[in-house]
């Protein structure tokens, strides 16, 4: 019976990973079509007209999907009423929510958007309950930080149903605050090794809570000065999280890390921190100085920070999730180089395009470099995979 349950869990995880990859393909295609039209490489793209669906698929479908897939094994042990795994409930609610919110934007039926956003918000609350529950081991302060990230997931789904992230930098940053806070929470958890004090942890928890709360109220406001004040305040709290995370992060202890995996992770994580700070700076310019910086700010964080963090942990997380044996000494930094180049071309191209047509060429070429980075990412997973364990897993699933 235990063996059958284990196989079912693997199939459920695989199912959600496939769903996340499907959302990635659709969302990426929409974004590519809109960028090509925007930079005048081609026009009349049907996919580009659905650009409002892009942030829904990429944040809730891809990033949220990877988070859920990673936690399915643990969530299966978290029972509601002592019999229903919370993972089943989350999947049954989250997937229809993403689809309804996406169809609502594509078809312009407001009722579908609102219904989808409510379902995603409920999922966020269920994930928050699971994360902060005393039934789960771990530092409670860290769990509260990650819980704040999942509250941001709920808040952002509601805000997104009212105003698209494509039209509002505040809504866009609220969406991004979900993965940003969650990732920083994981790094702060590792920083516990360096003995973060109780007072510092209290400040971090308070800051993590204030970020989504301030941003959510900013999305509901109608006065630019108040909205700007709320946004800037949330940025201050975020910088507290970021700078503290950098200070205590194990990867920032030494300039050189021994071992191939450690060097791989350090290079990726330090690069991601850099792009996060660039993104925060550009969002502050967008809100306080001049408009037109939203695209480079968003992609600096979405691709540079979040993308590089996913790559950094991929040699550990994906094998654990898929139950694969790996040889981490075979990792290669090629996907990190490619992704850094893609972000540089996109962010730099968007900024230069204000003055020169060369910026449009740079921004659009970033799409193809990003495709190469994604291919190298999967190649890296296949490269470190132990063939014997893969064969064993396939045999076990077929049985």
């Amino acid at each position: 019976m235990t063996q059958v349950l284990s196989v079912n869990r693997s199939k459920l995880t695989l199912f959600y990973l496939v769903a996340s990859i499907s959302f990635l393909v659709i969302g990426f295609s929409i974004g590519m079509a809109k960028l090509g039209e925007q930079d005048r490489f081609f026009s009349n793209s049907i996919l580009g007209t659905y650009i409002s669906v892009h942030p829904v698929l990429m944040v809730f479908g891809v990033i949220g999907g990877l988070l859920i897939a990673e936690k399915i094994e643990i969530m299966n042990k978290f029972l509601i009423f002592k019999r229903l795994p919370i993972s089943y409930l989350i999947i049954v609610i989250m997937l229809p929510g993403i689809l309804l919110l996406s169809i609502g934007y594509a078809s312009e039926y407001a009722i579908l958007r609102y219904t989808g956003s409510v379902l995603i918000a409920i999922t966020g609350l269920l994930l928050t309950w699971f994360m902060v529950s005393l039934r789960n081991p771990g530092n409670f302060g860290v769990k509260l930080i990650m819980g704040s990230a999942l509250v941001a997931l709920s808040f952002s789904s509601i805000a997104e149903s009212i105003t698209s992230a494509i039209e509002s930098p505040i809504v866009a940053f609220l969406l991004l605050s979900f993965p940003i806070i969650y990732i920083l929470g994981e790094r702060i958890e590792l920083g516990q090794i360096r003995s973060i004090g109780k007072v510092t942890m209290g400040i971090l928890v308070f800051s993590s809570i204030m970020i989504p709360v301030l941003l959510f109220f900013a999305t509901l406001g109608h006065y630019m000065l108040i909205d700007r004040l709320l946004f800037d305040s949330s940025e201050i709290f975020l910088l507290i999280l970021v700078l503290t995370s950098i200070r205590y992060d194990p990867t920032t202890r030494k300039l050189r890390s021994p071992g191939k995996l450690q060097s791989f992770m350090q290079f990726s994580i330090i690069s991601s921190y850099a792009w996060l700070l660039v993104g925060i700076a550009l969002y502050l310019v967008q809100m306080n100085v001049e408009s037109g910086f939203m695209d480079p700010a968003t992609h600096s964080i979405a691709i540079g920070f979040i993308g590089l963090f996913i790559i950094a942990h991929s040699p550990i997380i994906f094998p654990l999730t898929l139950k694969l044996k790996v040889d981490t000494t075979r990792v290669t930094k090629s996907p990190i180089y490619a992704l850094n180049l893609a972000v540089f071309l996109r962010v730099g191209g968007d900024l230069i395009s204000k003055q020169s047509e060369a910026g449009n060429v740079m921004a659009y070429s970033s799409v193809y470099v990003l495709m190469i980075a994604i291919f190298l990412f999967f190649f890296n997973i296949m490269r470190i995979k132990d063939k014997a364990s893969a064969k064993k897993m396939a045999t076990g699933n077929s049985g």
Side-chain angles (χ1 to χ4, degrees):
M1 183 173 180
T2 304
Q3 185 178 0
V4 173
L5 183 59
S6 176
V7 170
N8 288 336
R9 288 177 182 177
S10 297
K11 286 181 178 177
L12 190 62
T13 302
L14 187 60
F15 164 75
Y16 215 91
L17 281 175
V18 170
S20 299
I21 292 171
S22 301
F23 290 137
L24 173 63
V25 171
I26 299 170
F28 185 88
S29 300
I30 292 172
M32 181 178 179
K34 183 62 178 180
L35 182 63
E37 183 180 355
Q38 179 180 297
D39 291 339
R40 297 185 293 277
F41 282 93
F42 52 82
S43 59
N44 299 322
S45 171
I46 297 176
L47 279 176
T49 60
Y50 299 118
I51 189 61
S52 295
V53 180
H54 177 72
V56 175
L57 295 176
M58 301 306 283
V59 175
F60 302 130
V62 180
I63 300 172
L66 291 176
L67 166 64
I68 291 172
E70 178 195 348
K71 298 293 183 184
I72 282 177
E73 289 283 339
I74 303 173
M75 290 192 296
N76 278 337
K77 300 174 184 177
F78 191 98
L79 304 180
I80 302 175
F81 305 121
K82 297 183 178 181
R83 57 173 54 192
L84 176 64
I86 196 172
S87 56
Y88 295 170
L89 190 59
I90 285 172
I91 291 173
V92 167
I93 295 176
M94 184 66 163
L95 285 178
I98 296 169
L99 293 173
L100 287 174
L101 183 54
S102 300
I103 295 171
Y105 265 119
S107 63
E108 298 185 356
Y109 283 105
I111 186 64
L112 295 180
R113 291 206 317 267
Y114 299 145
T115 303
S117 72
V118 168
L119 291 176
I120 296 172
I122 292 172
T123 304
L125 294 177
L126 287 171
L127 285 167
T128 304
W129 175 29
F130 161 76
M131 188 60 65
V132 304
S133 173
L134 296 177
R135 284 190 262 170
N136 289 327
N139 181 278
F140 189 63
V142 172
K143 291 198 296 182
L144 285 177
I145 293 173
M146 293 184 175
S148 299
L150 297 169
V151 169
L153 170 64
S154 295
F155 282 171
S156 61
S157 70
I158 295 170
E160 173 66 24
S161 70
I162 299 171
T163 305
S164 173
I166 299 300
E167 302 169 359
S168 167
I170 300 176
V171 175
F173 201 79
L174 178 56
L175 258 74
L176 291 171
S177 71
F178 146 56
I180 290 173
I181 299 171
Y182 191 88
I183 291 171
L184 292 176
E186 289 189 327
R187 301 313 299 176
I188 290 168
E189 184 175 28
L190 289 175
Q192 286 286 312
I193 300 172
R194 300 185 71 178
S195 302
I196 298 176
K198 289 184 179 180
V199 175
T200 303
M201 182 57 71
I203 294 172
L204 293 176
V205 171
F206 180 74
S207 298
S208 69
I209 293 170
M210 292 304 297
I211 294 165
V213 169
L214 290 171
L215 287 171
F216 183 67
F217 278 113
T219 64
L220 301 177
H222 299 286
Y223 300 97
M224 181 59 69
L225 183 61
I226 296 175
D227 294 349
R228 186 180 298 168
L229 179 62
L230 291 171
F231 183 90
D232 290 347
S233 299
S234 74
E235 295 288 87
I236 293 172
F237 286 117
L238 178 59
L239 282 171
I240 292 173
L241 273 183
V242 176
L243 296 177
T244 306
S245 178
I246 292 173
R247 178 186 176 188
Y248 288 97
D249 196 311
T251 61
T252 61
R253 294 183 191 181
K254 300 178 182 178
L255 292 177
R256 290 177 177 268
S257 289
K260 209 165 183 181
L261 177 62
Q262 289 81 2
S263 177
F264 171 90
M265 294 185 69
Q266 183 184 54
F267 178 38
S268 188
I269 290 170
I270 290 176
S271 297
S272 66
Y273 277 133
W275 286 117
L276 175 58
L277 291 172
V278 169
I280 291 172
L282 290 174
Y283 260 111
L284 285 170
V285 172
Q286 169 72 30
M287 288 298 297
N288 297 280
V289 182
E290 183 182 355
S291 61
F293 289 84
M294 183 173 158
D295 268 3
T298 300
H299 291 94
S300 180
I301 295 173
I303 305 175
F305 175 66
I306 300 169
L308 281 165
F309 252 108
I310 292 173
I311 286 179
H313 294 83
S314 60
I316 298 174
I317 297 300
F318 281 88
L320 281 175
T321 302
L322 297 172
K323 296 183 173 64
L324 296 174
K325 267 186 185 176
V326 293
D327 178 7
T328 54
T329 62
R330 301 188 66 197
V331 293
T332 169
K333 292 180 181 176
S334 56
I336 305 175
Y337 292 128
L339 194 58
N340 268 306
L341 177 59
V343 184
F344 173 78
L345 289 171
R346 181 60 195 268
V347 174
D350 283 339
L351 294 175
I352 294 173
S353 65
K354 299 175 183 296
Q355 306 296 331
S356 170
E357 287 289 329
N360 294 330
V361 177
M362 286 176 61
Y364 190 66
S365 65
S366 72
V367 175
Y368 295 97
V369 179
L370 181 56
M371 290 171 65
I372 293 171
I374 293 172
F375 169 79
L376 291 172
F377 166 79
F378 285 109
F379 171 77
N380 216 20
I381 299 296
M382 299 302 294
R383 177 184 170 85
I384 66 174
K385 184 176 65 173
D386 182 81
K387 294 181 180 179
S389 71
K391 184 177 180 180
K392 184 179 178 182
M393 182 184 177
T395 305
N397 283 342
S398 62

